[in-house]
Amino acid sequence: MDGHNLMRSVRIFGSVQGLRAARSAWRQRRTDARALPARGAERARVPGPVTGAEPLPGGGIVRFARSQLQIRVAAGGAVFWGWDGAEPEPSYALAGAPPEPDPRAGLEPDKDGGWRVVSERVTVEVSRNGAVEIRTPGGVVLRRDLPPRWWEPVRGGPARWVQRTEVPADARFFGLGGRASGPRLRDGSYRLWNTDPRGSFGPEDDPLYITMPVQLVVADAGTHLAFHDNSWDGRVTLREGEEGAGSGHDRPGTSEVRMDGGPLRCWVVVGTPARVLAGWTQLTGAPAVPPSWALGPQHARWGFGSEREVRRIVAGYQERELPLSAVHLDIDHYDAHQVFTVDREQFPDLPGMAKDLRDDGVRLVSIVDPAVKAERGNAVYDSGAAAGVFVRDAAGHEVRGVVWPGECVYPDFTDPAAREWWGELYEERLAQGFSGVWHDMNEPVSFTPFGDMTLPRSARHALDGQGGDHREAHNVYGLTMARAGYEGLRRLRPDERPFLFSRSGWAGMQRYGGTWSGDVSTGWPGLRASLSLVLGLGLCGVPYSGPDVGGFDGSPSPELYLRWFQLGAQLPLFRTHAAIDAGRREPWEFGPTVLEHARAALAERERLRPYFVTLAHLARLTGAPYARPLWWGCPEDRVLRDCEDAFLLGDALLVAPVLERGTDRRAVRLPRGRWYDTATGQAYDGPGQVLVDAPLSRIPVLARGGAVIPVRGADGAMELEVWAPAEGRRGGGLVVPDAGDGWEQAEVERYTTRLVDGRVVVKQKKGDGSGPPRWRVRVRGLAAG
C-alpha cells in the first residue's frame, strides 16, 4: 500500500477508521498469501477429438479424448450443457430442481462425426472437436460456442477456463447484471465480481454491485439468453460483429467468458424476448411481488438524524398534499452504526413514530448491513459467535474487516444455520415498527485503501454443505443474505408479503425482492446510467429496481432533479435518496416551479398505481420486466435495438425521459402501431421517429393504440383507461386488481378493444365468451384518430 492510498482511506473513513482499514487490508493480504499459494506452472487442455457418445433422456453425453460434454434439452426448450461432469446442481441460481428433460429429444449422430439433439424449439449440434451450436428449428445458427480451453495447475487446484462464442454479425448484447454503460453492451471487457466502486459512480464505472454471467443476445435470427452458471471471479469480453466486413463476408460478433475456477456449464433459452424471460424465470424463480404500498413514492436520506427530523419531513409532504408511501432510515438511526439497534437519544420512541406514520399511510423501511461489530457485549455478535455462524479463515479464526461500526465480522449466509439465525433477528426490526428492509454493503464490503473492498479470497464458506472459499462465495453473498432476510420475514409475518431490496445479488435474486442503483453520481451522466441499470437488470430477470432520484452525492440543479424525479416516477422503485453531505431531496427544496411539476409527477404515479400493481403480478407470472427496451415486441427492428433513451412501461406505455440539460423537445423512436401523446392526445403511427414536446412540466409518455390501462380515477376507485385502436386494428390488455398485501392468488382479467363505426367497444373475456367490463371505462384518443 502506498502513501496516496493510505491518505485516501483516512479521508474517506476518518483517521481511526482509515488506519483500521489499512491494518485490515494488510491482514487480508497475509491471510491470502498463506492460504492461497501461487498457481505455479499450468497445463493447457482442450477437449480433443470425439471418441463416443451415450444417449440419455433429452440428450446425452458426448465423450472426447480429454473431456466429456453433457447435453440436455429440457421439456420447456431450455438447453443445458456442462463439461467435465458438470451437472445443473448444485446451483444458487436455480429456484428448485432442474426442469425435466424433453422425452421427445434424444442424441443422434450428425455429419462429420458430430452429434446433435433435435427438439421442437431448438436444435443443438456438437462438432467432433467440441464446438456447440444452438440453432433455430429452421436451422439458423443463434450461437456457436467454440471448443473450450482449461489451464490446470500442475500442483493441483482449480482450473481456470475460457469459452469463446460467435453470434450473428447483426447481434446486440444486453445483460451481465447492473451495468451503468448499458443497456446495450458495447465492445469491451466486463468483470464478473460484485464491487463497491468506492463512492459514487457514472456510466464509465465497471463493475458495480450486481454482476451476472447472463447475456441476452438479440439478432435477426432470434433472441436467446446464455447463462454460465459459475459464481467465481471472471471477465466477459464482447465484440459486436460487422456485416459485409473484409472481402464481403460477415464478421460475427464474439463473446469470450474467462473464469478463474468453477464449473464450465451453461443454460441457453431461445425464443421471443417474452418467451426467453419466461423460460429464464422458470429456471431461476418467479420475481417476488412487492406489497402494493411499495409501488408508491418513497423517500430516504442518509442523515435524517432524529425522530424529529423524520416527522418534519413527513409533515412537509402532508402539508403540501404530496403522496408518500414510505420513509427509509439509513445507518444514522442505529446506535453507533450497530445493526439491529436504535439510537435511543435521537429516536426515543421509534415504534410510536412508526405507528403514527402508518396511521397516515406511510411505512418505515430500515437499512440492514451484514457486518456485525466484533465486540463482546454486543448481543448480535455474542449470539452469532455462540452459534458459530461467522465467516472464518483457513485456520478457523473469525474473519474480520472494517465497516461503519468499526472492526466487524460477517455471517456466512451460505450456511443454512446462519440464514436461519439471521432471519430471526428481523423480529427486532418488526418490533420497532418497520414494514420492510433494504440490504446495503452486502457485496460484502470491508473498507480497504487498495484492491477490492471485500473479504480475503481464502475466507472459508459452508456453500450449503459443499464447502469452499470466498472466490466462489463472493458473488452469491448478497443473494444468500437476501434469502436469509426474505425467509425470516416470511416466518415472522406469514400473512404479509415481505418487502426487501438489496444492493448486491446474483442470478435468481428476484425470488427475494429487488434492488436499486446504489450510489449513482449526481449529474446528467448519472441520470442516464439510472435508466441503463433498470433496463439491464430487467433483462436479467430482476424487474423491480430504481435509482437514487437526484443522485447519491452532490447537489443537483433544479432542472436535473426534476428530470430525475419525472423518470423515477415511471420506474418500478420510485425513491429519492442522498448521501449525508449531499443536501436535501425533498421536492420543495428546489423552488415553487419544481415543486408544482414534481406534484404532477407524483399525482400521475398515484393515478398509475393499479397499472404498476398489474405489472408486478404479471412479472411474477410471466417474467416480463415492468420497464422494457423499445425492441421488446419487435426485436427484428434493428433501429430499436440501438435505442437506449426511451423504454416501454409494460405493453401499454412508452416513456421518453429527458436525459440532457435544456431540452424542451425530443425525438422519440416509435415501434410499429399507433401511439398517442398522453398529454396532448396527438396520434402518431409507427414505426418511425417523431419530434414531441418535452416542457419542464413533464416528460413525453405515449400510449399504445388499443391499450387497456388500469388507473385510479378521480374518486379513488379503479377504472380502465382505453386508448382507441386504429381503424381496422384490435387491441386489449391484461389487468390484475389489487388483492392486498398477502398471498391471495392473483386474478388476471383479459380485455379486448376494437373500433366499430367510430365507437370503441371494450369486452372482458370470460371463459369461452366475453361480456361487459367489470370496471368503469374511460375512452381516450377518439378525436385524434
Side-chain angles (χ1 to χ4, degrees):
M1 175 182 60
D2 60 29
H4 173 76
N5 280 325
L6 175 59
M7 293 307 298
R8 183 176 185 273
S9 176
V10 170
R11 285 199 309 271
I12 294 174
F13 310 125
S15 58
V16 175
Q17 288 286 66
L19 292 173
R20 285 175 175 167
R23 288 197 298 268
S24 175
W26 280 118
R27 286 199 303 267
Q28 285 192 22
R29 286 197 167 188
R30 289 198 305 270
T31 299
D32 283 346
R34 289 193 301 266
L36 296 177
R39 293 178 63 89
E42 296 178 316
R43 296 191 187 95
R45 173 168 62 89
V46 295
V50 68
T51 61
E54 176 187 353
L56 296 170
I61 296 174
V62 182
R63 295 188 174 86
F64 299 85
R66 291 176 290 277
S67 187
Q68 67 178 33
L69 172 68
Q70 179 185 172
I71 296 284
R72 181 190 305 175
V73 178
V79 178
F80 171 81
W81 52 257
W83 287 94
D84 284 356
E87 298 279 349
E89 294 182 298
S91 170
Y92 281 103
L94 301 188
E100 292 295 318
D102 184 349
R104 299 168 296 177
L107 190 66
E108 57 188 50
D110 197 17
K111 58 188 176 183
D112 299 327
W115 295 82
R116 69 176 181 174
V117 180
V118 179
S119 71
E120 181 180 2
R121 294 184 183 177
V122 67
T123 296
V124 185
E125 295 188 2
V126 182
S127 78
R128 60 183 178 181
N129 293 313
V132 179
E133 287 188 352
I134 305 294
R135 294 176 175 264
T136 68
V140 179
V141 177
L142 293 176
R143 66 183 287 119
R144 184 171 190 265
D145 292 293
L146 304 178
R149 181 181 293 268
W150 296 266
W151 287 269
E152 299 167 331
V154 172
R155 294 181 297 184
R160 56 189 181 94
W161 53 262
V162 61
Q163 173 73 68
R164 296 184 176 92
T165 302
E166 295 178 348
V167 298
D170 66 287
R172 295 290 182 263
F173 296 99
F174 301 86
L176 295 183
R179 305 288 170 170
S181 61
R184 172 184 163 195
L185 301 177
R186 264 66 173 190
D187 294 1
S189 183
Y190 302 86
R191 191 179 176 196
L192 298 169
W193 188 255
N194 293 350
T195 302
D196 182 336
R198 294 177 178 268
S200 60
F201 66 87
E204 71 283 356
D205 292 303
D206 190 89
L208 298 175
Y209 314 98
I210 300 174
T211 67
M212 299 182 193
V214 179
Q215 297 180 38
L216 191 76
V217 184
V218 185
D220 288 354
T223 301
H224 74 271
L225 179 148
F227 167 53
H228 288 85
D229 193 351
N230 183 315
S231 62
W232 284 63
D233 192 358
R235 191 169 291 276
V236 178
T237 302
L238 302 177
R239 185 185 183 194
E240 293 181 348
E242 183 180 354
E243 293 180 297
S247 59
H249 298 288
D250 289 350
R251 175 174 59 78
T254 60
S255 167
E256 179 183 274
V257 180
R258 288 181 176 269
M259 288 290 186
D260 288 349
L264 175 44
R265 56 184 180 177
C266 185
W267 287 93
V268 177
V269 185
V270 304
T272 64
R275 176 169 282 182
V276 166
L277 265 293
W280 173 238
T281 52
Q282 286 175 4
L283 281 174
T284 60
V289 178
S292 57
W293 60 261
L295 295 168
Q298 304 176 50
H299 187 78
R301 192 204 307 161
W302 178 16
F304 278 127
S306 69
E307 177 180 325
R308 180 179 179 180
E309 176 66 2
V310 173
R311 289 182 181 273
R312 187 187 73 82
I313 295 301
V314 173
Y317 274 87
Q318 294 169 339
E319 291 165 4
R320 295 167 177 84
E321 298 182 342
L322 303 175
L324 180 65
S325 290
V327 171
H328 297 216
L329 299 190
D330 212 313
I331 55 173
D332 50 292
H333 86 279
Y334 283 132
D335 181 10
H337 296 154
Q338 296 183 56
V339 68
F340 301 117
T341 64
V342 175
D343 182 342
R344 300 292 180 183
E345 182 176 338
Q346 298 300 325
F347 293 86
D349 185 17
L350 190 53
M353 181 181 75
K355 181 182 183 305
D356 291 344
L357 297 186
R358 185 158 184 161
D359 289 344
D360 289 333
V362 180
R363 268 74 170 187
L364 274 187
V365 176
S366 172
I367 192 171
V368 174
D369 289 356
V372 175
K373 186 174 179 62
E375 181 178 74
R376 292 295 177 185
N378 173 7
V380 177
Y381 173 74
D382 289 344
S383 66
V389 296
F390 297 127
V391 176
R392 296 179 178 273
D393 62 21
H397 305 301
E398 291 174 350
V399 170
R400 300 196 173 190
V402 176
V403 199
W404 301 117
E407 190 169 63
C408 293
V409 292
Y410 301 81
D412 180 7
F413 295 114
T414 70
D415 182 350
R419 290 197 295 268
E420 184 173 359
W421 166 80
W422 185 262
E424 294 303 315
L425 297 176
Y426 287 75
E427 183 174 12
E428 181 273 342
R429 294 287 87 186
L430 298 179
Q432 296 294 346
F434 289 105
S435 299
V437 296
W438 51 298
H439 289 172
D440 200 359
M441 308 292 285
N442 59 337
E443 289 69 37
V445 170
S446 175
F447 296 151
T448 61
F450 57 85
D452 293 321
M453 295 205 301
T454 189
L455 305 186
R457 293 182 173 232
S458 60
R460 303 298 299 172
H461 291 265
L463 290 168
D464 284 271
Q466 299 296 310
D469 58 42
H470 198 67
R471 292 174 296 179
E472 184 175 1
H474 174 84
N475 281 337
V476 298
Y477 191 87
L479 169 72
T480 51
M481 181 186 179
R483 177 181 177 181
Y486 182 85
E487 292 177 347
L489 291 170
R490 285 204 63 172
R491 289 193 301 269
L492 294 166
R493 286 196 178 166
D495 297 331
E496 295 183 17
R497 296 199 302 272
F499 176 54
L500 184 153
F501 62 104
S502 173
R503 191 171 80 171
S504 183
W506 201 62
M509 66 179 294
Q510 73 275 359
R511 300 191 295 264
Y512 313 117
T515 184
W516 89 105
S517 65
D519 302 342
V520 63
S521 62
T522 296
W524 293 95
L527 171 60
R528 186 176 289 272
S530 296
L531 178 58
S532 298
L533 287 162
V534 173
L535 292 177
L537 286 162
L539 296 175
C540 291
V542 186
Y544 183 78
S545 67
D548 284 348
V549 167
F552 181 71
D553 63 341
S555 298
S557 68
E559 181 191 6
L560 174 59
Y561 173 81
L562 179 59
R563 293 310 196 185
W564 217 316
F565 199 89
Q566 291 165 337
L567 169 61
Q570 301 290 335
L571 296 176
L573 172 60
F574 178 24
R575 182 183 87 143
T576 56
H577 184 48
I580 195 168
D581 57 352
R584 302 186 184 281
R585 291 289 189 271
E586 294 79 46
W588 55 88
E589 296 290 346
F590 294 86
T593 300
V594 169
L595 174 60
E596 289 311 303
H597 297 335
R599 184 193 309 279
L602 286 166
E604 181 64 6
R605 174 67 176 222
E606 288 299 280
R607 195 181 75 89
L608 289 175
R609 183 83 73 91
Y611 186 48
F612 277 94
V613 169
T614 291
L615 295 179
H617 284 284
L618 292 180
R620 179 168 182 81
L621 294 171
T622 70
Y626 311 21
R628 310 164 187 177
L630 291 187
W631 49 258
W632 178 261
C634 41
E636 70 281 358
D637 188 327
R638 296 189 179 188
V639 176
L640 291 182
R641 281 185 222 157
D642 296 340
C643 183
E644 301 176 280
D645 62 355
F647 63 97
L648 299 175
L649 184 59
D651 284 331
L653 297 177
L654 188 159
V655 182
V658 172
L659 304 175
E660 296 180 354
R661 180 188 294 108
T663 300
D664 59 7
R665 300 196 82 195
R666 62 151 294 175
V668 178
R669 179 66 60 176
L670 299 178
R672 61 176 176 261
R674 173 156 293 182
W675 296 89
Y676 297 90
D677 187 319
T678 57
T680 66
Q682 175 69 45
Y684 304 95
D685 289 317
Q689 182 171 281
V690 296
L691 193 64
V692 298
D693 290 333
L696 194 60
S697 59
R698 61 180 173 85
I699 58 174
V701 178
L702 295 94
R704 189 189 299 271
V708 178
I709 306 173
V711 298
R712 187 175 288 172
D715 60 357
M718 194 172 92
E719 64 182 28
L720 303 182
E721 183 174 271
V722 177
W723 289 86
E727 191 72 41
R729 303 295 298 271
R730 293 173 178 265
L734 303 177
V735 174
V736 182
D738 190 351
D741 293 337
W743 300 96
E744 294 82 359
Q745 184 70 28
E747 176 188 356
V748 180
E749 300 174 357
R750 301 176 183 271
Y751 293 89
T752 61
T753 63
R754 59 193 179 100
L755 194 63
V756 179
D757 298 328
R759 176 171 164 268
V760 176
V761 177
V762 183
K763 295 287 187 180
Q764 181 178 353
K765 299 186 70 174
K766 300 177 180 179
D768 295 332
S770 61
R774 173 183 175 185
W775 311 96
R776 181 175 58 207
V777 173
R778 185 164 65 97
V779 175
R780 298 187 65 185
L782 272 181

